Amino acid sequence: MGMQNSFTEENYLKIIHALSGRDGAEVSTNALAESTSTRAASVTDMLRKLADKGLIHYKKYQGVTLTESGEKVAIKVIRKHRLWEVFLVEKLGFGWDEVHDIAEELEHIPSEVLVEKLDAFLGHPKFDPHGDPIPDAKGNLTEPDYLIMTDVQVGEKVLMMGVLDHAPSFLQHLDRSGITLGAVIEVQEINEYDKSASVRINGGQTLFISLEVSKNLLVQRR
């Protein structure tokens, strides 16, 4: 992009990208207002600005989608965010529950040279500390086909690959439970009433996880 985008503009593009999903579905103004904790009128003003810059397709009272230019900006911000998270965890010793807000600030540093040197310094990582894929330098983002834990049946063993909820309280709960990336989870029983599950972690301890936890775990069959 020739012109510089503000932090807020970049954040909107990143959120639209996340809400639109893999199929690039239209995103409503109300969904954006909820995700940004902003009044709908303020969201509409920002959408007009982004449309004027050619970053989104927007018509009043209709959904929003990213243009090719908007998609490129969103992917660049996501790439920077996830690389910074890797740096903070691997090189500075932060916990995976501590890095999101810091990376939110660092992701807006515009220097592309810095990003490529950071990527090389880290050894070109493919995933961030939460298991999310990192776009490559050309903007390619490959979303892995993970299962949600709620799709796993009794008796199955799966690998913990990522999370849908990045809230520090959730990540701290997983740490306390020993449910970390790469952990082997074996489903022993699923409660019919509330869908909580009894699981064995890495062949050792058995614990109960709630439906809410299961809905936010991304796993892969072994």
Side-chain angles (χ1 to χ4, degrees):
M1 293 293 298
M3 68 183 81
Q4 191 69 38
N5 300 299
S6 71
F7 290 10
T8 305
E9 288 169 343
E10 289 186 344
N11 283 336
Y12 265 80
L13 295 172
K14 187 175 67 170
I15 291 168
I16 292 169
H17 180 275
L19 292 176
S20 64
R22 295 187 187 189
D23 56 356
E26 291 187 344
V27 178
S28 71
T29 303
N30 287 339
L32 279 169
E34 187 175 333
S35 292
T36 57
S37 301
T38 308
R39 291 183 303 111
S42 299
V43 171
T44 300
D45 289 342
M46 176 56 69
L47 294 180
R48 287 198 191 101
K49 288 181 185 177
L50 294 173
D52 288 344
K53 284 189 168 188
L55 297 171
I56 62 169
H57 299 293
Y58 169 64
K59 287 184 181 177
K60 199 170 182 181
Y61 307 122
Q62 294 183 18
V64 178
T65 57
L66 296 174
T67 63
E68 186 177 342
S69 296
E71 179 79 9
K72 285 180 180 177
V73 174
I75 292 291
K76 278 185 179 180
V77 176
I78 291 166
R79 172 171 163 77
K80 288 188 282 186
H81 182 100
R82 293 178 180 174
L83 283 172
W84 280 119
E85 287 194 333
V86 174
F87 175 77
L88 291 165
V89 169
E90 291 191 0
K91 304 302 180 182
L92 297 187
F94 282 90
W96 70 334
D97 58 308
E98 300 175 300
V99 295
H100 180 75
D101 287 348
I102 303 171
E104 284 279 308
E105 298 179 31
L106 294 169
E107 71 187 20
H108 300 294
I109 298 173
S111 172
E112 293 190 17
V113 175
L114 173 61
V115 177
E116 298 321 312
K117 284 189 177 292
L118 177 65
D119 186 29
F121 176 67
L122 295 170
H124 307 289
K126 302 295 185 191
F127 297 92
D128 75 7
H130 307 109
D132 294 319
I134 299 173
D136 65 20
K138 294 181 179 178
N140 299 311
L141 176 60
T142 304
E143 295 282 1
D145 287 320
Y146 293 149
L147 296 170
I148 296 175
M149 189 68 201
T150 49
D151 296 328
V152 180
Q153 305 301 312
V154 172
E156 285 192 296
K157 289 184 180 180
V158 293
L159 289 174
M160 157 67 168
M161 302 301 293
V163 294
L164 292 174
D165 186 350
H166 290 190
S169 58
F170 178 62
L171 300 175
Q172 289 160 13
H173 173 70
L174 295 183
D175 276 339
R176 289 192 296 271
S177 303
I179 304 174
T180 53
L181 293 186
V184 178
I185 305 173
E186 179 183 0
V187 180
Q188 297 184 311
E189 183 183 352
I190 297 174
N191 186 302
E192 273 301 311
Y193 175 66
D194 63 2
K195 302 302 180 185
S196 61
S198 171
V199 300
R200 186 187 297 274
I201 308 298
N202 292 324
Q205 66 165 329
T206 297
L207 54 90
F208 285 93
I209 58 174
S210 68
L211 176 61
E212 194 61 31
V213 168
S214 293
K215 287 194 299 189
N216 284 290
L217 294 181
L218 294 172
V219 298
Q220 189 174 59
R221 288 191 174 96
R222 299 185 69 195

